[in-house]
C-alpha cells in the first residue's frame, strides 16, 4: 500500500513538470532544475532499493534550489506584464513544494529506517508538524488552482503539486 502511494505521488509531480513545459517560465533553467531535482529525489528515495544519494543530500539540494528560486524572484524587477503574476505565484508555490518535499524525504527515510518500530515514535511531533504544513500547503494550492485569473497550466500545476505532497504525506500518517 505504501509503495502504491509513493508511486502515486510521482504521477502528479511528473504531470506538474509537464505543466512547466507549457508555462510562462518554461525557459528558466532554475525552474527546470528544481522540478527535475524533485522528480529525481522522489525516484531515488522511493523507487530504488538503495538510494544513490542519501535523502538528506536530496533535501539539502531541494532547499537550496527553493532558496535560489526565492532570491531570483526577489531580485527580478517587478513587471507589469500579464505573464509576470503567474510566474511569481508559481515560483513561490514550487519553492514551498520543494521545502515540503525535502522534509518529507528526510522524515520518510527515517521512518523507513526504523521500520515503524518502537523508536519511530520519537519523531512523532516532527511528522505531525510536517503533516500540518502539508495540509496547509494543500489548501493554499487549492486556492491557487481555483483562481480564475491564472491561466490553466499554473492552476493545474498547483493542483498537481498539492496532490503529490498529500500522497507523500499519507504513508507517514498511516504507520
Amino acid at each position: 500500500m505504501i509503495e502504491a502511494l509513493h508511486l502515486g505521488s510521482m504521477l502528479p509531480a511528473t504531470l506538474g513538470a509537464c505543466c512547466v513545459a507549457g508555462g510562462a517560465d518554461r525557459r528558466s533553467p532554475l525552474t527546470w532544475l528544481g522540478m527535475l531535482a524533485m522528480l529525481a529525489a522522489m525516484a531515488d528515495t522511493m523507487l530504488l532499493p538503495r538510494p544513490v544519494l542519501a535523502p538528506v543530500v536530496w533535501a539539502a539540494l531541494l532547499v537550496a534550489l527553493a532558496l535560489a528560486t526565492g532570491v531570483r524572484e526577489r531580485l527580478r524587477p517587478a513587471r507589469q506584464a500579464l505573464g509576470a503574476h503567474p510566474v511569481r505565484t508559481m515560483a513561490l508555490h514550487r519553492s514551498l513544494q520543494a521545502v515540503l518535499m525535502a522534509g518529507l524525504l528526510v522524515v520518510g527515510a527515517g521512518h523507513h529506517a526504523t521500520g515503524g518500530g518502537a523508536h519511530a515514535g520519537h519523531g512523532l511531533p516532527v511528522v505531525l508538524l510536517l503533516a500540518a504544513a502539508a495540509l496547509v500547503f494543500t489548501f493554499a494550492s487549492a486556492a491557487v488552482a481555483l483562481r480564475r485569473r491564472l491561466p490553466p497550466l499554473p492552476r493545474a500545476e498547483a493542483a498537481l503539486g498539492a496532490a503529490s505532497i498529500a500522497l507523500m504525506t499519507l504513508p507517514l500518517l498511516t504507520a
Side-chain angles (χ1 to χ4, degrees):
M1 176 69 173
I2 290 175
E3 288 79 15
L5 287 171
H6 285 307
L7 190 57
S9 69
M10 294 253 344
L11 180 62
T14 304
L15 292 173
C18 292
C19 291
V20 170
D25 53 350
R26 66 182 166 270
R27 294 187 180 149
S28 167
L30 188 56
T31 298
W32 279 106
L33 186 59
M35 289 301 284
L36 292 175
M38 188 165 37
L39 287 171
M42 292 171 75
D44 186 28
T45 58
M46 294 186 305
L47 299 179
L48 297 178
R50 285 190 61 133
V52 175
L53 293 177
V56 73
V57 174
W58 282 117
L61 178 65
L62 290 174
V63 169
L65 288 169
L67 288 172
T69 299
V71 168
R72 180 195 67 192
E73 287 305 312
R74 185 73 176 140
L75 295 177
R76 185 180 287 186
R79 292 180 275 170
Q80 299 301 322
L82 185 60
H85 178 61
V87 170
R88 287 189 181 270
T89 300
M90 293 317 298
L92 174 62
H93 186 271
R94 284 185 211 110
S95 293
L96 293 172
Q97 183 177 355
V99 170
L100 272 171
M101 189 67 66
L104 289 167
L105 289 173
V106 171
V107 169
H111 182 75
H112 293 306
T114 60
H119 295 291
H122 296 302
L124 188 60
V126 174
V127 171
L128 291 178
L129 181 64
L130 197 56
L135 184 66
V136 169
F137 177 80
T138 301
F139 282 115
S141 296
V144 170
L146 293 173
R147 288 170 118 175
R148 295 213 182 268
R149 288 189 283 166
L150 285 178
L153 283 177
R155 292 169 59 188
E157 184 185 347
L160 291 164
S164 180
I165 291 292
L167 288 170
M168 276 199 60
T169 305
L170 285 177
L172 298 177
L173 299 175
T174 59

